[in-house]
């Protein structure tokens, strides 16, 4: 009889899960494994069949009230045998008592509904070539943009208004990662937006892209893309935008970004009260 066991992943094993995500076409960031694991090391689970890792899921607890699910992958040759359901049940147990969020791909959304998740809204990934997008952005409000290298108290307070839970450990890793580029926009000493760009398997992703209004979002995006080396301007850039933010979609169209992928944001209990009109780019589909 085969032996199937589920346990938290080591740092090396989590990189395997990130590599699987790359094979599934999710285009993870080059530093995702190390940044993600800092948030909840016990929240990344692997399913092992006779000692061989065949499944993964993340169940990241941000605090006692909110968690986020991702990395739900079973290796293709082991699907349809119940291994995915079993590891998913372990993930739900890890997050017990919390409102759980996830970004479900189209083919999994019915399964999530059966597990008690309800649809909130769609997120759409928009993409385009840096060299084509950058000239369309201009430098509107550019004087307010500055480099951002660490999570100050003011930055954490701003982020908390636009994310369902405090995420100090994540922000410290995300903003401090060696290959990530971050910018903050301030007026009269008050933060009005911030954003991070990270290199991925293919091109770059921007997330989060939080801004009080569209002009600030454009200025942040322009500053990030201008920091990409000139010889990479033929690479793609991607931004994941929540559908309720009409201004984000209008900005995407204006600068030449087009839809390439979609997910459904779903929650197990209730949709958090955050201002989606200030979220021009979701941080990640894996951790919210």
């Amino acid at each position: 009889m085969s032996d199937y066991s589920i346990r938290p992943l080591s740092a090396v094993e989590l990189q395997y899960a990130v590599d699987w995500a790359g094979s599934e076409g999710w285009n993870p960031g080059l530093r995702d494994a190390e940044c993600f694991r800092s948030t909840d090391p016990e929240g990344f689970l692997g399913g092992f069949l006779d000692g061989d890792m065949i499944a993964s899921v993340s169940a990241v607890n941000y605090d006692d009230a909110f968690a986020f699910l991702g990395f739900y992958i079973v290796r293709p040759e082991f699907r349809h045998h119940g291994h995915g359901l079993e590891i998913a049940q372990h993930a739900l147990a890890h997050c017990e008592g919390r409102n759980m969020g996830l970004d479900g791909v189209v083919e999994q959304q019915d399964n999530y509904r059966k597990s008690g998740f309800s649809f909130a809204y769609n997120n759409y990934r928009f993409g385009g070539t840096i060299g084509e997008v950058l000239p369309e952005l201009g430098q509107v409000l550019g004087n307010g943009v500055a480099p951002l290298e660490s999570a100050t108290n003011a930055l954490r307070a701003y982020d908390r208004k636009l994310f369902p839970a405090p995420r100090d450990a994540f922000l410290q890793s995300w903003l401090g990662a060696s290959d990530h580029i971050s910018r903050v926009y301030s007026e009269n000493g008050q933060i009005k937006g911030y954003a991070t760009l990270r290199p991925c398997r293919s091109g770059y992703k921007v997330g989060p892209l939080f801004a009080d209004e569209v002009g600030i979002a454009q200025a942040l995006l322009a500053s990030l893309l201008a920091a990409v080396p000139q010889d990479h301007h033929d690479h793609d850039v991607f931004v994941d935008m929540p559908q309720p933010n009409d201004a984000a979609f209008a900005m995407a169209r204006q600068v030449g970004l087009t839809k390439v992928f979609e997910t459904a944001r779903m929650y197990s209990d209730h949709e958090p009260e955050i201002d989606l009109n200030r979220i021009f780019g979701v941080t990640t589909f894996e951790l919210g």
Side-chain angles (χ1 to χ4, degrees), residues 247-259:
F249 276 40
M251 181 183 76
R253 290 191 295 269
Q254 177 185 337
V255 302
L257 295 170
T258 57
K259 293 179 184 178

Side-chain angles (χ1 to χ4, degrees), residues 1-198:
M1 177 178 287
S2 297
D3 177 31
Y4 185 59
S5 61
I6 296 169
R7 61 168 174 78
L9 296 173
S10 69
V12 171
E13 290 164 342
L14 176 53
Q15 186 60 55
Y16 296 157
V18 173
D19 291 341
W20 291 354
S23 298
E24 294 290 326
W26 298 355
N27 193 24
L30 301 183
R31 303 293 181 190
D32 281 4
E34 60 195 72
C35 291
F36 289 173
R37 194 169 185 270
S38 67
T39 306
D40 180 7
E42 298 298 309
F44 295 87
L45 306 176
F48 295 81
L49 187 63
D50 297 329
D52 185 24
M53 182 173 161
I54 67 161
S56 69
V57 69
S58 62
V60 171
N61 291 333
Y62 282 99
D63 61 9
D64 292 337
F66 185 70
F68 205 86
L69 306 182
F71 282 108
Y72 183 36
I73 305 171
V74 179
R75 282 167 46 188
E77 64 269 33
F78 295 101
R79 292 172 185 172
H80 310 299
H81 297 288
H83 303 306
L85 177 60
E86 190 170 345
I87 195 172
Q89 290 170 340
H90 276 70
L92 296 177
H94 181 71
C95 302
E96 187 175 6
R98 296 168 175 85
N99 183 26
M100 293 173 280
L102 60 81
D103 276 304
V105 295
V106 173
E107 58 267 24
Q108 289 292 339
Q109 289 168 20
D110 285 343
N111 290 332
Y112 294 133
R113 289 187 180 92
K114 293 175 184 176
S115 296
F117 287 82
S118 298
F119 174 84
Y121 52 86
N122 286 118
N123 286 317
Y124 285 93
R125 175 163 295 166
F126 286 82
T129 304
I130 293 173
E132 295 177 350
V133 171
L134 188 55
E136 300 297 328
L137 282 164
Q139 293 294 332
V140 181
L141 303 176
N143 290 337
V145 179
L148 176 64
E149 297 178 354
S150 63
T152 63
N153 288 337
L155 190 284
R156 286 191 287 267
Y158 183 85
D159 184 80
R160 183 63 185 88
K161 298 174 184 177
L162 298 173
F163 194 80
R167 49 177 182 171
D168 294 2
F170 172 81
L171 289 175
Q172 195 65 30
S173 296
W174 200 244
L175 300 177
S178 59
D179 294 340
H180 291 194
I181 300 170
S182 298
R183 297 287 186 266
V184 62
Y185 183 92
S186 303
E187 288 181 356
N188 301 319
Q190 297 293 314
I191 293 177
K192 300 290 186 179
Y194 87 97
T196 296
L197 177 143
R198 76 193 200 272

